Amino acid sequence: MKKRHKSLNVLINNAAVLDTWQGTILEATAAELRDTFITNTLGPILLTQALLPLLEAGKPARVINVSSQLGSVANMTDGWAGYGISKAALNAATRKLAEALAPRGISVNAASPGWVRTEMGGESAPLPVEKGAQNIIRLITDISHATTNHFFEEKGEIPW
């Protein structure tokens, strides 16, 4: 990739899977937890690592990890256990990446788009895709590059 592209200014880690079950932590299987964690947590970490040379060349650069209210430890409930745990772990990874990359001129923040009408969110989700994307776009266009290590939603900051 480095041969075709010289720099990267913004990396949006937006891959996610949702548990196939809506149950509690007591019902979670090892396979479901593992698969959800690999996609929702490890994927963004490994992609950020792989693209680090391009991000450094594009600085001031930013990484935005798409998280969820369900990943806020302060607001966590037991439903969708694997998804919530994996997004809480993504939030922890966001904080670790923010600390590690700040000296390199790269900001890292988490963003919750809300419950969005996508294949994963379903038809009953209240937000259209465009509305869910607004918070992420706001982090690119309206938030200073110096702002790092925060968790945002449309209305402002979310507790980790």
Side-chain angles (χ1 to χ4, degrees):
M1 184 177 296
K2 181 82 171 170
K3 292 177 183 169
R4 291 191 334 222
H5 303 284
K6 296 182 192 245
S7 66
L8 179 63
N9 302 103
V10 178
L11 170 60
I12 301 170
N13 286 312
N14 188 34
V17 294
L18 187 64
D19 318 73
T20 56
W21 48 276
Q22 299 177 26
T24 72
I25 190 68
L26 300 176
E27 301 163 319
T29 68
E32 290 166 328
L33 290 171
R34 180 196 64 237
D35 293 348
T36 304
F37 189 81
I38 286 170
T39 299
N40 296 359
T41 308
L42 295 181
I45 294 168
L46 297 174
L47 185 59
T48 302
Q49 290 174 344
L51 296 177
L52 185 55
L54 294 175
L55 288 163
E56 287 182 311
K59 63 185 171 183
R62 56 180 87 213
V63 176
I64 300 169
N65 290 325
V66 179
S67 187
S68 170
Q69 278 276 8
L70 295 175
S72 168
V73 175
N75 299 328
M76 193 173 283
T77 61
D78 192 29
W80 301 105
Y83 182 79
I85 291 167
S86 71
K87 289 299 187 173
L90 176 63
N91 291 345
T94 299
R95 299 197 73 182
K96 292 288 190 179
L97 286 167
E99 291 295 322
L101 296 177
R104 299 178 186 214
I106 301 168
S107 65
V108 184
N109 291 294
S112 173
W115 185 15
V116 180
R117 275 190 304 273
T118 61
E119 186 176 327
M120 187 171 86
E123 290 295 319
S124 58
L127 299 175
V129 171
E130 298 79 13
K131 181 78 171 159
Q134 284 178 351
N135 184 41
I136 296 161
I137 293 168
R138 184 177 64 86
L139 288 179
I140 298 167
T141 60
D142 298 348
I143 303 294
S144 164
H145 280 94
T147 302
T148 192
N149 206 357
H150 295 273
F151 186 12
F152 294 102
E153 68 172 351
E154 179 184 13
K155 298 174 188 166
E157 264 194 84
I158 302 172
W160 290 106

